[in-house]
Amino acid sequence: MSKSGTYLIGVDVGTGSARAGVFDLAGRMLGVAKADITMWREAGSVVEQSGNQIWEAVCHSVKGAVEAAHIAPEDVAGISFDATCSLVVVDEAGAPLAVGPSDDPERNIIVWMDHRAIGQAERINAQGHDVLKYVGGVISPEMETPKLLWLAENKPETFAAAWQFFDLADYLTWRASGSLARSTCTVTCKWTYLAHERRWDDSYFRQIGLGALADEGFTRIGTEIVEPGTRLAEGLTTKAASDLGLVAGTAVGAGLIDAHAGGVGTVGAEGSPTDSLAYVFGTSSCTMTTTQNPVFVPGVWGPYFEAMVPDMWLNEGGQSAAGAAIDQLVAFHPATAEAAAEAAKAGLPLPVWLADRALEKTTASDAISLVGEIHVVPEFLGNRAPFADPHARAVIAGLGMERDLDSLIALYVAGVAAIGYGLRQIIETQAKNGAVVKQVVISGGAGAHELTRQILADAAGLPLVATEAEEPVLLGSAILAGVASGRHPDMTGAMKAMTRIRQSYTPTPETAALHACRFAGFEALQQAGRALRAYS
């Protein structure tokens, strides 16, 4: 019997790679492939990428995933994309435009973690426009309007020549379908679109210095705003289908920011989406809390309407550096070179190798006993939530003269616990303002290890659950493809049909007091770090 049109493709473009996964209608992944993407860094917090190179990586990944799944292109019913919230700039011909000091047009993406627009963000915040209520009261340099303002002020020729400014997920759906429609997820979370009122606020753009966009009727940032999973145009164009190795007309679903795809791929697995905080733990970390009604939490982005789950509101937090913070932390230790060599021999990433070594010494729940007096606040790239402070920096206390592997393991475990305390801080802040959750549902490669998951549950003080999906972010995009292709009636139905809980991690009562004590120390050290900036 023919299985034509019974498979879905989800594509995830993260900070360092593009991945594609083929799924059946029950959410089982049949094939996956990956291609690395290049990132350029320069002084002044400049971080850039290439839209053309990312598209090539996406095409390579999709072809590889289809081959690995042993299906034919005509078997694919739909495809959708998620991506980092990075800014893509193209001219009227769809060609890339230079966005930085290199003047290289191929470098046409300002990456989400690029903080060149801190000054612009601070000026916007000082003006206190009413739309800032929907970004936690403080706009971040990671968001798009500060970056657009930076372009207007520092690269006016690029700003003037730009035909479209895209969030990366919307750029990919445009490349795939030719549709200029934007997802409510991208423009609401990162561009200040007021989805609950279905409008841009002209006065905000005029006040901050981007009145040109309002004068044009917002044609360069989106006049058609649709829900994630909406079928776009006539599906894949002939050119895109050829690039991807698929069939023209295959359904293309409006996409999501990558973290939000992780939320879609997890929170529907058990109970109501409002019971679970979706926690995506990768290079950065994102927390997503779904509520029936808007909840205003100072320092936590949102509330955003229909940015993830239809007819519901979303609060978004997390940290700009999470997995990357662990990498940075252990890089300081004298034993890291030796440990990295051993990890390479074993074919493992260094954090995974360190987690394995920790479990050789003790159980996951007792690993916190290894850290001794080491305390870490891993805010290497600022505090995204709940303080919305891009100037915050990491603080490490309690280090001695030890240079051995045991002390490196202790530092690593302290860092993972600190990520958990940052999560706990967000959960408690949201709860005080009315957004209460019962459990954390995890996704993301940095949170895949058993040790990491148990430490996070213990540090945050809530049950943590993992879904069956090996790649829940990819699954989230595949869910959108299922909606766009009509293989599932709506996102809620698709989430229920395609997600299931695999394992739960319960906080350990025996270590609760120690974690509570260390959390108090975390907050005290965090406050000390802020106070010390006055002496800089």
Side-chain angles (χ1 to χ4, degrees):
M1 182 174 66
S2 171
K3 294 184 178 180
S4 179
T6 58
Y7 299 105
L8 308 167
I9 296 178
V11 179
D12 166 50
V13 177
T15 305
S17 65
R19 299 176 305 143
V22 174
F23 294 82
D24 66 15
L25 299 181
R28 290 182 287 266
M29 190 170 70
L30 307 176
V32 65
K34 169 187 171 183
D36 292 337
I37 54 180
T38 302
M39 189 158 56
W40 293 275
R41 294 178 181 268
E42 292 191 18
S45 300
V46 169
V47 190
E48 296 173 351
Q49 290 179 324
S50 163
N52 284 335
Q53 189 203 39
I54 286 176
W55 180 250
E56 290 172 3
V58 164
C59 295
H60 178 84
S61 299
V62 169
K63 291 175 181 176
V66 169
E67 182 179 356
H70 303 293
I71 64 170
E74 55 269 23
D75 293 336
V76 177
I79 184 171
S80 190
F81 305 82
D82 69 76
T84 64
C85 49
S86 300
L87 175 66
V88 191
V89 185
V90 298
D91 68 13
E92 194 166 2
L97 291 170
V99 295
S102 74
D103 289 324
D104 180 355
E106 279 301 315
R107 291 167 56 171
N108 68 320
I109 297 179
I110 302 179
V111 180
W112 66 270
M113 65 169 63
D114 183 306
H115 276 200
R116 72 180 74 178
I118 282 181
Q120 284 74 17
E122 290 177 340
R123 280 166 27 217
I124 292 170
N125 288 325
Q127 295 173 55
H129 194 280
D130 197 50
V131 301
L132 299 184
K133 291 192 308 184
Y134 293 93
V135 293
V138 181
I139 205 159
S140 166
E142 295 178 23
M143 295 181 177
E144 308 301 12
T145 51
K147 291 174 180 174
L148 288 170
L149 186 57
W150 185 94
L151 277 176
E153 294 174 345
N154 294 276
K155 299 282 288 184
E157 69 286 358
T158 292
F159 188 85
W163 169 62
Q164 294 291 311
F165 300 106
F166 287 107
D167 218 70
L168 182 51
D170 296 324
Y171 169 78
L172 295 172
T173 54
W174 168 69
R175 289 286 298 252
S177 70
S179 171
L180 291 175
R182 267 64 163 189
S183 165
T184 52
C185 176
T186 59
V187 295
T188 304
C189 294
K190 305 303 174 185
W191 298 70
T192 72
Y193 181 75
L194 300 174
H196 59 293
E197 297 177 3
R198 307 296 181 191
R199 69 180 180 95
W200 297 101
D201 190 312
D202 291 39
S203 65
Y204 168 73
F205 287 85
R206 298 187 195 283
Q207 176 179 296
I208 69 171
L210 291 173
L213 298 177
D215 293 341
E216 301 159 0
F218 303 105
T219 55
R220 290 198 284 171
I221 62 174
T223 56
E224 182 185 0
I225 314 299
V226 300
E227 292 181 9
T230 299
R231 181 168 183 153
L232 300 178
E234 300 302 317
L236 287 178
T237 65
T238 301
K239 173 65 166 64
S242 176
D243 290 347
L244 294 162
L246 298 176
V247 176
T250 299
V252 177
L256 288 163
I257 298 167
D258 54 352
H260 300 65
V264 168
T266 55
V267 297
E270 183 178 275
S272 168
T274 59
D275 292 336
S276 299
L277 178 144
Y279 184 60
V280 183
F281 185 14
T283 301
S284 63
S285 71
C286 285
T287 63
M288 283 154 292
T289 305
T290 301
T291 59
Q292 293 282 359
N293 299 302
V295 177
F296 294 86
V297 185
V300 175
W301 297 338
Y304 302 130
F305 184 62
E306 290 191 336
M308 191 172 82
V309 180
D311 298 320
M312 292 190 180
W313 293 78
L314 179 73
N315 290 94
E316 180 187 353
Q319 299 305 340
S320 301
I326 299 299
D327 293 340
Q328 181 83 351
L329 178 68
V330 300
F332 297 135
H333 197 279
T336 293
E338 175 190 351
E342 292 298 319
K345 287 181 185 177
L348 295 172
L350 178 58
V352 173
W353 189 86
L354 290 171
D356 288 345
R357 301 292 78 73
L359 288 181
E360 289 175 356
K361 293 177 170 294
T362 186
T363 63
S365 58
D366 196 47
I368 194 64
S369 65
L370 300 173
V371 305
E373 297 179 1
I374 300 174
H375 293 266
V376 178
V377 178
E379 295 176 346
F380 293 99
L381 201 58
N383 179 283
R384 182 184 284 171
F387 298 109
D389 181 4
H391 298 291
R393 288 298 177 263
V395 185
I396 305 167
L399 292 181
M401 293 287 287
E402 295 84 3
R403 304 173 64 87
D404 58 10
L405 180 59
D406 285 350
S407 63
L408 173 58
I409 293 170
L411 181 63
Y412 166 75
V413 172
V416 174
I419 297 292
Y421 301 141
L423 173 60
R424 179 174 183 158
Q425 196 172 52
I426 293 168
I427 290 169
E428 291 187 354
T429 300
Q430 290 187 156
K432 289 175 184 176
N433 288 275
V436 179
V437 295
K438 298 177 181 178
Q439 64 182 12
V440 175
V441 187
I442 194 166
S443 61
H449 201 282
E450 299 291 306
L451 175 77
T452 304
R453 290 174 174 177
Q454 186 61 55
I455 290 175
L456 290 174
D458 291 333
L462 277 181
L464 182 144
V465 299
T467 62
E468 282 186 5
E470 299 174 38
E471 300 278 4
V473 178
L474 287 175
L475 175 60
S477 280
I479 285 171
L480 301 182
V483 177
S485 64
R487 295 306 186 269
H488 289 291
D490 51 38
M491 190 185 295
T492 302
M495 290 164 66
K496 288 181 179 177
M498 297 177 70
T499 56
R500 290 166 292 280
I501 292 296
R502 184 184 70 197
Q503 194 164 359
S504 297
Y505 302 82
T506 304
T508 308
E510 291 78 11
T511 61
L514 176 57
H515 280 288
C517 183
R518 290 186 61 84
F519 177 59
F522 172 89
E523 294 197 305
L525 196 58
Q526 192 179 50
Q527 292 168 11
R530 288 199 294 270
L532 282 171
R533 276 157 46 190
Y535 298 94
S536 301

